[in-house]
Amino acid sequence: MDILGFVANLVSDYTLRQVAIGSAALGIVNGVLGSFAVLRKQSLLGDGISHAALPGIALAFLLTGSKSSLALLLGAAAAGWIGTLLIIGIVRHTRVKYDSALGLVLSVFFGFGLVLLTYIQKMPVATQAGLDKFLFGQAATLLRKDVMTIGILGGIVLVFLVLFWKEFKLVSFDPDFAFSLGYPVRLLDILLTTLLVVSIVIGLQTVGVVLMSAMVVAPAAAARQWTDRLGVMVAVSGLFGALAGVGGALVSSQAARIPTGPTIVLCASAIVFLSLLLAPNRGLAWGWVREQVNRRQLQTDAVLGDLYVLAMQHREPGHGHTIEVLRTMAHGHGGVDRSLRVLKERGLVKESGAKEWSLTPRGMEEARRLSRQWRQTP
Amino acid sequence: MVTSRDQGVAKAGSGGPGATEPAIRVEDLTVAYGDRPVLWDVDMEVPPGVLMAVVGPNGAGKTTLIKAIMGLVPPVAGFVSIFGKPYLAQRSLVGYVPQRNSVDWDFPTSVLDVVMMGRYGVLGWLRRPGRAERNLAMESLEKVGMADLSGRQISQLSGGQQQRVFLARALVQDARVYLMDEPFQGVDATTERAIVTLLKEMRSEGKTVLVVHHDLQTVPEYFDWVTLLNVRCVASGPVGKAFIDRNLRLTYGGRVSYLTHHAPEETFANPEE
């Protein structure tokens, strides 16, 4: 399908629009909250919370018998929250470390959730169908009221974040100092984690518990590449989250039976990949370019230096030397031909008839300046 | 939240030596991690307007002492008062400089931003830092010689510059008592001199500074009071009285064949290295 048709569809098709708006909203909220999770080195907590939410969803259905999104979300949030508290409690009161505690809680809750889900599936009622969409997500099932729920809860999360921006920034950077200023660090910690739980929970129907953590981590990790300011990082992360959410949801809703979670994660991964590669300063591509430029500069300087040494040995400055001599002096570092070409363009060396190279008076001067400079750098 | 069972009751003005209240008074302070005591029954007083070093071997509880004074680690017993009142009531008078490596310097923020955090306590909830905070932050960056780096991303700072940012953040709090955890750790000579100058300036402004320190050699030069700590408080007082051979031996367990004001040029092994 061509892009224009796709966009036209987006405007005209009601269902598609719902899906797009819903996934954009959850993408923004998770991108924004994910930034704090990533900066606080709690990337994996998102994985724990989302997996832990599964039994909550199943229990909420068993208890209420309804598939209304609010009831299921409440169940998910409660279970996600309990999972988080368990992780924190295990770390605090036993010798089990954070990563192990997380792994334990995640697998136990998820396993329990799967058991409940299987049990529900075998129940002789018709209403149980479709609960398994919470595993891998199904954006196409987003209804208007689901989108409303996502929007309202997401909006509340963002309002809290704006209100306590200063405090969240402080406890994320230096909790001990925040404590010394009199801020209730534990309380802020719980508040921030609760907001993370809410933002994860509103994404579960669309993205699924299995891959939800990608929506928390990926946009934030990508955004960190592009900026050194927290505000910008959070905004860019929200934008990336929205892009990944909308992109993935639309792709999956075009073909029947493709779950949304994987397509969203693929979109998010593409954004991460491009960011790692292309972001200025931190991007690998730019790093490589900088390295090449530096290397070439050093090679050129070295060739100039070698010619200077040769000229010093010979008294007559115009005495030429073959390229082989220079290659030997360069110890196989390479780039001698290119360096000579560059130096010639800059008028620092000249080539005599017999393919012999020597410094021009300006080259002599430049070489002296460089050798002084090198001597000064420790 | 603060979990200080015993800090709540401080005996205000309970017969301390001298007429003025000590800036910091620590009584019977005991801290344990699990069943291992880290601080045992520590009593000490820091008179107002002095620079006091806290020295002791590794694991002596120096950092814990500072954290326990602030209630950052809950004490098993004992209490702390600041100018005669419990720490919690006086929190705004106390500035804190944590160890430099206690935070992630790759956090996406600028030097100025970090320094402005020192005003967050005064600002309180919901209010954002504005022009006034910015100006104060620039002033204290000026004092530590970092004004021209105010816009820099903090990951691009050297160790010494990071330390100075932390000091500027503490200065901007405009506290009366400062607790500093190893401010001289791993800084270059320029920064070390800058910090010493700053400390003396703070003293001349009447501030009280408690500094966890690791270089015995510089104690008499930089500080006027000293506490020798090794889980218990071995000695605490003016450098001339407390910083003596016998006390050092008690603190470091005889491993220090010692030194100081008798023969300052004599080199000796730093027990922490």
Side-chain angles (χ1 to χ4, degrees):
Chain A
M1 178 179 0
D2 65 315
I3 292 173
L4 275 178
F6 199 76
V7 173
N9 241 348
L10 196 56
V11 178
S12 60
D13 186 329
Y14 178 77
T15 321
L16 205 54
R17 206 164 60 218
Q18 294 295 334
V19 170
I21 294 173
S23 356
L26 79 91
I28 290 172
V29 176
N30 278 284
V32 165
L33 262 294
S35 295
F36 283 94
V38 165
L39 289 174
R40 279 151 46 91
K41 318 242 182 308
Q42 290 184 336
S43 306
L44 283 175
L45 185 60
D47 215 18
I49 292 172
S50 63
H51 280 77
L54 189 61
I57 294 167
L59 281 175
F61 174 75
L62 284 174
L63 289 177
T64 65
S66 96
K67 278 199 296 180
S68 92
S69 63
L70 204 59
L72 298 188
L73 285 192
L74 276 176
W81 225 87
I82 292 169
T84 312
L85 289 184
L86 263 179
I87 294 170
I88 296 171
I90 289 174
V91 171
R92 191 164 298 152
H93 297 294
T94 71
R95 281 170 178 268
V96 179
K97 299 277 180 273
Y98 182 73
D99 55 339
S100 312
L102 198 116
L104 275 174
V105 169
L106 183 153
S107 43
V108 168
F109 273 65
F110 186 61
F112 183 47
L114 281 182
V115 170
L116 287 178
L117 216 57
T118 317
Y119 171 74
I120 290 169
Q121 225 99 91
K122 295 205 173 117
M123 274 166 46
V125 274
T127 51
Q128 93 279 29
L131 218 54
D132 56 337
K133 73 189 170 201
F134 279 98
L135 274 181
F136 291 106
Q138 197 53 268
T141 62
L142 280 181
L143 301 174
R144 189 178 153 74
K145 62 178 200 298
D146 298 327
V147 174
M148 291 288 279
T149 312
I150 293 176
I152 291 169
L153 287 176
I156 293 173
V157 167
L158 292 184
V159 166
F160 267 99
L161 198 77
V162 170
L163 281 180
F164 298 112
W165 176 263
K166 170 173 111 260
E167 288 76 15
F168 287 154
K169 177 177 175 174
L170 182 64
V171 293
S172 300
F173 175 62
D174 194 346
D176 283 1
F177 187 70
F179 182 91
S180 82
L181 291 181
Y183 282 103
V185 173
R186 187 86 55 88
L187 208 65
L188 284 167
D189 202 20
I190 291 171
L191 181 59
L192 198 48
T193 308
T194 307
L195 296 182
L196 183 66
V197 169
V198 174
S199 73
I200 284 173
V201 160
I202 61 176
L204 291 182
Q205 185 183 346
T206 315
V207 188
V209 301
V210 176
L211 293 170
M212 188 59 207
S213 69
M215 279 310 276
V216 178
V217 180
R224 183 65 189 93
Q225 292 288 313
W226 295 90
T227 175
D228 279 332
R229 291 285 183 273
L230 181 63
V232 182
M233 174 180 167
V234 167
V236 171
S237 181
L239 177 74
F240 283 169
L243 282 178
V246 173
L250 293 185
V251 168
S252 87
S253 62
Q254 289 313 296
R257 306 223 135 266
I258 298 185
T260 314
T263 53
I264 284 189
V265 169
L266 286 180
C267 285
S269 311
I271 293 174
V272 171
F273 178 72
L274 288 176
S275 300
L276 286 176
L277 204 62
L278 296 179
N281 293 324
R282 286 176 174 248
L284 295 174
W286 293 113
W288 186 80
V289 168
R290 265 197 307 275
E291 201 178 299
Q292 290 307 309
V293 169
N294 279 341
R295 222 172 84 169
R296 293 183 164 207
Q297 181 66 46
L298 282 173
Q299 282 174 350
T300 310
D301 288 353
V303 169
L304 191 72
D306 290 344
L307 277 168
Y308 180 65
V309 169
L310 289 170
M312 287 296 100
Q313 285 168 358
H314 280 274
R315 301 228 155 239
E316 49 168 321
H319 190 96
H321 300 273
T322 61
I323 199 162
E324 282 75 21
V325 175
L326 291 166
R327 281 201 188 120
T328 314
M329 291 179 83
H331 296 293
H333 289 315
V336 174
D337 300 69
R338 190 196 44 79
S339 300
L340 283 172
R341 215 164 48 240
V342 170
L343 290 169
K344 191 178 170 187
E345 271 163 31
R346 287 167 60 194
L348 300 179
V349 301
K350 61 176 186 285
E351 187 180 8
S352 61
K355 296 237 169 208
E356 291 192 331
W357 296 84
S358 62
L359 290 173
T360 63
R362 263 185 59 208
M364 202 69 172
E365 217 170 277
E366 175 68 9
R368 282 211 187 91
R369 193 185 64 76
L370 273 180
S371 86
R372 268 199 307 276
Q373 198 177 314
W374 284 346
R375 237 171 297 156
Q376 275 161 12
T377 10
Chain B
M1 302 298 300
V2 184
T3 50
S4 52
R5 272 159 293 172
D6 304 290
Q7 283 187 19
V9 274
K11 292 176 275 178
S14 59
T20 50
E21 288 284 1
I24 306 171
R25 172 185 288 153
V26 174
E27 281 181 67
D28 308 335
L29 192 67
T30 299
V31 177
Y33 292 143
D35 50 3
R36 190 171 61 92
V38 189
L39 286 178
W40 187 259
D41 198 18
V42 170
D43 292 294
M44 60 181 275
E45 281 185 6
V46 188
V50 305
L51 302 181
M52 181 189 266
V54 178
V55 294
N58 281 334
K62 292 168 292 188
T63 296
T64 306
L65 174 65
I66 280 195
K67 290 193 170 177
I69 288 176
M70 294 187 303
L72 201 50
V73 294
V76 178
F79 48 80
V80 173
S81 59
I82 306 292
F83 291 113
K85 296 206 186 88
Y87 168 78
L88 282 186
Q90 304 279 62
R91 181 134 69 177
S92 60
L93 302 181
V94 183
Y96 174 44
V97 180
Q99 267 180 40
R100 180 160 54 83
N101 55 16
S102 66
V103 302
D104 173 14
W105 288 93
D106 197 35
F107 196 87
T109 190
S110 69
V111 166
L112 187 66
D113 250 14
V114 172
V115 177
M116 282 199 290
M117 287 179 186
R119 298 304 294 173
Y120 283 12
V122 182
L123 274 176
W125 295 95
L126 304 181
R127 285 174 55 207
R128 296 289 169 91
R131 181 177 305 224
E133 284 70 34
R134 190 173 292 266
N135 291 341
L136 285 168
M138 281 311 290
E139 264 174 45
S140 67
L141 275 172
E142 203 87 54
K143 279 187 206 157
V144 298
M146 291 274 293
D148 48 335
L149 297 181
S150 65
R152 189 165 285 197
Q153 148 69 11
I154 56 171
S155 65
Q156 293 164 6
L157 302 177
S158 71
Q161 289 167 339
Q162 292 173 351
Q163 192 62 60
R164 288 196 232 180
V165 170
F166 265 10
L167 284 166
R169 182 178 70 173
L171 284 181
V172 89
Q173 282 183 263
D174 197 24
R176 284 173 66 192
V177 177
Y178 282 97
L179 308 172
M180 300 187 179
D181 203 346
E182 298 265 19
F184 294 104
Q185 177 89 62
V187 302
D188 51 287
T190 325
T191 302
E192 178 146 347
R193 274 193 303 276
I195 297 176
V196 172
T197 314
L198 192 68
L199 286 178
K200 306 222 150 139
E201 241 173 70
M202 292 169 82
R203 179 178 54 192
S204 67
E205 286 165 15
K207 316 265 189 200
T208 311
V209 191
L210 187 69
V211 180
V212 171
H213 195 52
H214 62 274
D215 183 11
L216 291 180
Q217 208 156 14
T218 50
V219 167
E221 186 190 336
Y222 292 172
F223 300 97
D224 29 37
W225 281 53
V226 67
T227 291
L228 294 161
L229 191 71
N230 190 355
V231 183
R232 294 161 188 273
C233 177
V234 177
S236 183
V239 169
K241 278 189 192 157
F243 201 63
I244 53 171
D245 201 355
R246 200 177 65 89
N247 288 341
L248 279 161
R249 235 187 274 282
L250 281 171
T251 312
Y252 288 96
R255 278 174 296 138
V256 169
S257 64
Y258 140 86
L259 79 337
T260 58
H261 16 288
H262 318 296
E265 66 281 341
E266 193 180 319
T267 52
F268 66 98
N270 184 341
E272 294 216 352
E273 279 163 9

